[in-house]
Amino acid sequence: MQLDDLYRRVIMDHYKNPRNRGKFEEGALTIDLNNPTCGDRISLQLIVEGDVVKDARFTGEGCSISMSSASMMTEAVKGRTFDEAMDLAGRFSRLMMGESVDFDDYEDLEALSGVNKFPARIKCATLAWNALKKGIQADI
């Protein structure tokens, strides 16, 4: 199996079987963002204790790239400090710009590396990450 095929399978798995999809009943920091150029929208919810993202969930609508990225992001940031989550978001941004980035702590993110070949889709992949950054910056 070629790497591109594996990456497509990972993306489609997160799209068809999203992790952390849903809402918290109460006590969550909620960030709503949308991408008006393509119609993607996300509502990200974070449970924060001190400077740690204890849990994360999302709802929204969009393409396979945006929804898969949201699924992967919520998995990757659970239990991380704000600094760690922001570092991860920075690495993801660099991945979207075509840089080689290491995600040994959560390799599924590498499946989105091919998005940088399609500049119009970068906004899809970064929507959830932008919501995360906005939420952390608002909570600091």
Side-chain angles (χ1 to χ4, degrees):
M1 180 185 311
Q2 290 185 336
L3 193 56
D4 284 346
D5 291 336
L6 175 63
Y7 284 172
R8 270 192 282 278
R9 287 181 186 209
V10 170
I11 290 169
M12 290 312 293
D13 179 50
H14 276 274
Y15 179 63
K16 292 179 179 179
N17 305 296
R19 283 54 153 189
N20 308 303
R21 189 170 183 93
K23 289 186 171 196
F24 294 110
E25 292 297 319
E26 57 184 57
L29 173 64
T30 301
I31 307 94
D32 297 311
L33 285 183
N34 68 62
N35 180 355
T37 59
C38 69
D40 293 342
R41 64 175 186 77
I42 186 170
S43 181
L44 175 66
Q45 291 189 305
L46 303 173
I47 299 292
V48 174
E49 288 182 18
D51 72 338
V52 175
V53 178
K54 288 298 210 178
D55 206 349
R57 291 190 186 167
F58 76 98
T59 58
E61 295 176 353
C63 67
S64 61
I65 298 296
S66 68
M67 295 296 102
S68 296
S69 184
S71 174
M72 292 176 198
M73 183 273 297
T74 56
E75 282 288 284
V77 300
K78 283 186 194 180
R80 294 188 188 263
T81 66
F82 287 172
D83 287 343
E84 292 168 336
M86 290 297 275
D87 174 67
L88 191 59
R91 284 189 278 157
F92 188 78
S93 291
R94 290 193 305 277
L95 180 73
M96 292 296 101
M97 295 298 114
E99 292 182 31
S100 178
V101 180
D102 185 24
F103 291 109
D104 16 274
D105 43 355
Y106 193 70
E107 293 178 355
D108 280 6
L109 291 170
E110 293 172 13
L112 294 165
S113 63
V115 171
N116 66 24
K117 297 172 189 162
F118 307 96
R121 302 303 300 271
I122 292 173
K123 287 184 179 181
C124 302
T126 58
L127 183 64
W129 294 91
N130 290 336
L132 172 71
K133 290 189 273 188
K134 184 177 177 181
I136 289 173
Q137 291 166 346
D139 201 65
I140 292 179

